[in-house]
Amino acid sequence: MDDLTEMLKGTLEGCVLEIIGSEETYGYAITRRLNELGFIDVVEGTVYTILLRLEKNGLVQVTKRPSGVGPPRKFYALNDAGREELARFWAKWEYVSSRIDKLKEGGR
Amino acid sequence: MDDLTEMLKGTLEGCVLEIIGSEETYGYAITRRLNELGFIDVVEGTVYTILLRLEKNGLVQVTKRPSGVGPPRKFYALNDAGREELARFWAKWEYVSSRIDKLKEGGR
DNA sequence: CCTGGTACCTTGTAGTACCGAGTACCACTA
DNA sequence: TAGTGGTACTCGGTACTACAAGGTACCAGG
């Protein structure tokens, strides 16, 4: 599969929100999770910029914990605003993807 | 529905390709078509920049024809390279949307 | 003449993912 | 004990895209 970066714009942040929402986790693990989901070209730098943005926008709660196998981890969990944002994201996704699928089916 | 612009990045060009591929048409009509498909905030300027990009990248064939109700129209049709690009776009869309849907279903 | 619909173009901006490089902690091993 | 590899986070700069905002121009009807 060739380059997906442009198509991921606007959706990757929502994917990260979903991952955080299903389980409190940290940047490095989120990157691995995205990679195993099939987003193989997503790199750490990208995920960390998203996480910093989420934190800046007040959508997550951050807790630092020691790791044992490396430097301390920053664990992220959704707060109320984050859960609302996640719901908005899925609504938008539903809206956009259904319309694109309709266009694909030759919808008039 | 709130702002969709970020989510449309990387997909809008493919949508325009699909519209052109199903019927030779022109910028103003493509904008109207996208609006009635549900992409209500897409404006003319956006479509024209996409059309210029498609032309620059050699994906379309352009024909100017008089209109009768206004200035002349520039009709766009896909060439072979455009059809290939369109197929690639749909393959990418299939790939990305299926993976996001899986994530949404809590896919592990 | 003036308004509104049609039709196209251009410059600049904001937002997002990525690149590249750096810092740092830890376990294992030659 | 120096080196390697995996873990983990940060930051400055870049490329690409959709949009905003304004302009030009053609035509019909009041």
Side-chain angles (χ1 to χ4, degrees):
Chain A
M1 183 59 51
D2 41 274
D3 195 29
L4 303 176
T5 71
E6 289 308 323
M7 197 172 277
L8 290 179
K9 287 189 178 175
T11 62
L12 205 49
E13 178 178 315
C15 293
V16 170
L17 277 174
E18 171 67 27
I19 290 172
I20 296 172
S22 75
E23 175 188 28
E24 189 187 38
T25 182
Y26 56 98
Y28 189 80
I30 293 170
T31 309
R32 294 290 148 269
R33 178 100 179 83
L34 286 168
N35 294 152
E36 75 186 37
L37 275 167
F39 305 115
I40 47 174
D41 292 329
V42 174
V43 295
E44 296 170 34
T46 299
V47 174
Y48 289 115
T49 56
I50 291 174
L51 290 172
L52 290 176
R53 192 161 69 232
L54 295 179
E55 188 175 358
K56 200 186 72 181
N57 294 343
L59 304 174
V60 289
Q61 190 204 335
V62 189
T63 317
K64 204 166 195 171
R65 300 209 189 94
S67 151
V69 297
R73 298 167 174 162
K74 283 176 71 178
F75 280 83
Y76 292 82
L78 294 190
N79 58 25
D80 287 344
R83 276 183 286 275
E84 281 169 32
E85 182 60 30
L86 178 58
R88 262 196 302 278
F89 166 73
W90 282 127
K92 279 206 277 189
W93 171 253
E94 198 64 41
Y95 185 90
V96 169
S97 67
S98 70
R99 261 136 246 263
I100 290 177
D101 285 335
K102 193 194 293 183
L103 173 63
K104 187 185 172 189
E105 310 305 335
R108 324 232 134 258
Chain B
M1 181 61 52
D2 41 275
D3 194 29
L4 303 176
T5 72
E6 289 308 324
M7 199 173 276
L8 291 179
K9 287 192 177 173
T11 62
L12 205 49
E13 178 178 316
C15 293
V16 170
L17 276 174
E18 172 65 27
I19 290 171
I20 295 172
S22 75
E23 175 188 26
E24 189 186 39
T25 182
Y26 56 98
Y28 189 80
I30 293 169
T31 309
R32 295 288 150 268
R33 178 99 180 84
L34 286 168
N35 294 153
E36 76 186 37
L37 274 166
F39 305 115
I40 47 174
D41 291 329
V42 174
V43 293
E44 296 169 34
T46 300
V47 174
Y48 289 115
T49 55
I50 292 174
L51 290 173
L52 289 176
R53 192 160 71 230
L54 295 179
E55 189 175 357
K56 201 185 71 179
N57 294 344
L59 303 175
V60 290
Q61 190 205 333
V62 189
T63 315
K64 204 167 195 171
R65 299 209 189 94
S67 151
V69 297
R73 298 165 174 162
K74 283 177 71 177
F75 281 83
Y76 292 82
L78 295 190
N79 58 24
D80 287 344
R83 276 182 287 273
E84 281 170 33
E85 182 59 31
L86 178 58
R88 262 197 301 279
F89 166 72
W90 283 127
K92 278 206 279 189
W93 171 253
E94 197 64 40
Y95 186 91
V96 169
S97 68
S98 71
R99 258 137 248 262
I100 290 177
D101 285 333
K102 192 194 294 182
L103 173 62
K104 187 186 175 189
E105 309 306 332
R108 319 237 136 256

